[in-house]
Amino acid sequence: MVEYLRSSFLKPDIAIDIGTAWVRVAYGAAGLHAVPSLFEGRNALRAGVIIDRDAVTAILRPLLKRVRRFGVLPPRVVACVPSDVTSKEHDTVRECVLKSGAANVCIVPEPLAAAIGGGLDVASPFASMILDIGEGVTDCAVIRSGKVIDMHASRVGCAELRRAVIKAASRHMGQFIDRNEADRLLRRIDVGNPMHAVLPGNVAPVRPDEDVYDWSRYREALEPFVEKILGVAQAMWRQIKPSLGCEIIENGIWLSGGGSMMKGMASRLEDATRIKVNTVANPLEAVVRGAHAMLPIITILNGWTK
Ligand SMILES: Nc1ncnc2c1ncn2[C@@H]1O[C@H](COP(=O)(O)OP(=O)(O)OP(=O)(O)O)[C@@H](O)[C@H]1O
Ligand SMILES: [Mg+2]
């Protein structure tokens, strides 16, 4: 810890979550800054993968410059990647962070960071399971005694859900809706079990023209993608050992990421697994807050590379 305090005084340490929708930076005692993963209208990532290195560097550079100690000393950066990242994708993240002005970098898996940032007791000898539903990736991990025991990810997330909403609007209602409108609708559609869900017609319209939306069509369009997302947790659940399963039943499944805030998502997973599902207190920030909390241990274990 003394070593951490000494070295972090000289090199400010920060955490960065380079997400498909948002780049989030955690710094200092509780600082957090988020910017869209867009540069000059270009998406920097798709499905959790950097597709435009220059755009990522252009987004990160000013963020890293802001946190320089005395305006000159570059920060060390812990960055998060999906758990199924390829070595090439891993290297791209490393290179982009270093090129953006980091002194050193350490890469950690997103679901582990989400679990720590979401307040799960990752050091417990009893396993817990987390599912992070992001913009482009749904990532699941089982964690016990501070270690990730199993991870499973699929490149599906809110982006597919939004695309499905846009398609359904055009196909069934002859309406063109943009990304923002699709996102607004996504926050209103209940993807829970139809048996339990509030019937779409009973949802009070927020705007007078909203009753033109045929909510059941949207639900139908979202269904294959919701199943794909839930399938990530179900696939993990099927492959874990029974002893771990008992511990997870005890601790429940935890959700994080923007997709976890969709109406009915938690209850839907509960129905599919018959395990209690909870959403962490800060679903959007859990990954970057957790990565930031890992900084002292990374320094103690000398996990930094250039
Ligand atoms: N309240 C909400 N209800 C439904 N969806 C939401 C809500 N808030 C955010 N979202 C969705 O979550 C998405 C962003 O999620 P998140 O910030 O976890 O993604 P990300 O970390 O950038 O992506 P990834 O981890 O997949 O690379 C938004 O694009 C939006 O569609
Ligand atoms: Mg994310």
Side-chain angles (χ1 to χ4, degrees):
M1 190 48 88
V2 174
E3 165 58 15
Y4 171 66
L5 291 174
R6 190 183 320 142
S7 61
S8 64
F9 177 73
L10 290 173
K11 290 177 185 169
D13 296 339
I14 63 166
I16 299 186
D17 172 17
I18 309 171
T20 312
W22 293 93
V23 172
R24 298 186 173 92
V25 181
Y27 55 92
L32 195 134
H33 190 67
V35 292
S37 305
L38 285 171
F39 181 68
E40 292 177 347
R42 292 169 0 228
N43 283 313
L45 288 92
R46 188 185 307 128
V49 180
I50 293 174
I51 53 168
D52 188 333
R53 289 167 185 242
D54 294 341
V56 171
T57 313
I59 295 167
L60 293 183
R61 199 166 275 147
L63 297 172
L64 267 62
K65 205 169 171 193
R66 263 168 68 149
V67 297
R68 285 180 168 208
R69 182 79 77 223
F70 312 122
V72 283
L73 295 171
R76 298 185 294 196
V77 175
V78 55
C80 311
V81 291
S83 63
D84 66 343
V85 74
T86 64
S87 58
K88 200 170 156 217
E89 289 164 3
H90 185 284
D91 290 349
T92 304
V93 172
R94 229 183 104 256
E95 282 161 22
C96 285
V97 172
L98 288 171
K99 208 173 154 198
S100 305
N104 303 87
V105 65
C106 175
I107 309 256
V108 297
E110 272 174 25
L112 175 62
I116 296 171
L120 276 68
D121 182 6
V122 294
S124 161
F126 302 104
S128 49
M129 183 164 159
I130 186 150
L131 183 72
D132 183 84
I133 308 169
E135 169 78 356
V137 189
T138 297
D139 214 333
C140 188
V142 173
I143 298 157
R144 183 163 74 172
S145 304
K147 284 201 194 103
V148 176
I149 298 184
D150 222 333
M151 298 194 277
H152 180 59
S154 176
R155 305 297 172 121
V156 61
C158 297
E160 268 81 8
L161 299 176
R162 225 176 15 250
R163 273 197 286 273
V165 166
I166 292 173
K167 257 194 193 165
S170 133
R171 183 174 304 160
H172 302 297
M173 279 150 263
Q175 282 194 353
F176 173 77
I177 58 168
D178 65 9
R179 189 187 189 282
N180 293 339
E181 178 66 355
D183 206 48
R184 198 184 68 79
L185 289 176
L186 209 54
R187 287 160 202 244
R188 308 236 320 125
I189 302 167
D190 190 332
V191 295
N193 189 323
M195 302 291 285
H196 309 160
V198 180
L199 285 175
N202 298 340
V203 178
V206 172
R207 291 188 336 209
D209 62 344
E210 211 170 63
D211 52 4
V212 301
Y213 293 125
D214 182 347
W215 297 93
S216 62
R217 293 287 196 188
Y218 287 125
R219 281 194 53 120
E220 204 176 277
L222 289 179
E223 195 51 29
F225 301 100
V226 171
E227 277 180 9
K228 218 167 156 187
I229 288 171
L230 299 175
V232 177
Q234 287 169 302
M236 171 73 91
W237 179 241
R238 277 196 293 272
Q239 76 190 43
I240 56 176
K241 287 190 291 187
S243 58
L244 282 180
C246 293
E247 293 168 15
I248 290 166
I249 289 170
E250 187 77 13
N251 287 330
I253 299 175
W254 290 82
L255 292 183
S256 62
S260 72
M261 293 157 79
M262 283 189 71
K263 279 189 189 152
M265 191 61 95
S267 69
R268 189 66 190 275
L269 183 57
E270 217 161 69
D271 287 347
T273 56
R274 308 258 161 227
I275 301 170
K276 176 92 191 102
V277 176
N278 304 287
T279 304
V280 300
N282 50 354
L284 296 172
E285 299 170 1
V287 168
V288 78
R289 294 266 186 223
H292 190 261
M294 290 163 86
L295 285 166
I297 194 78
I298 290 167
T299 299
I300 289 162
L301 299 175
N302 200 14
W304 298 110
T305 58
K306 271 203 188 267

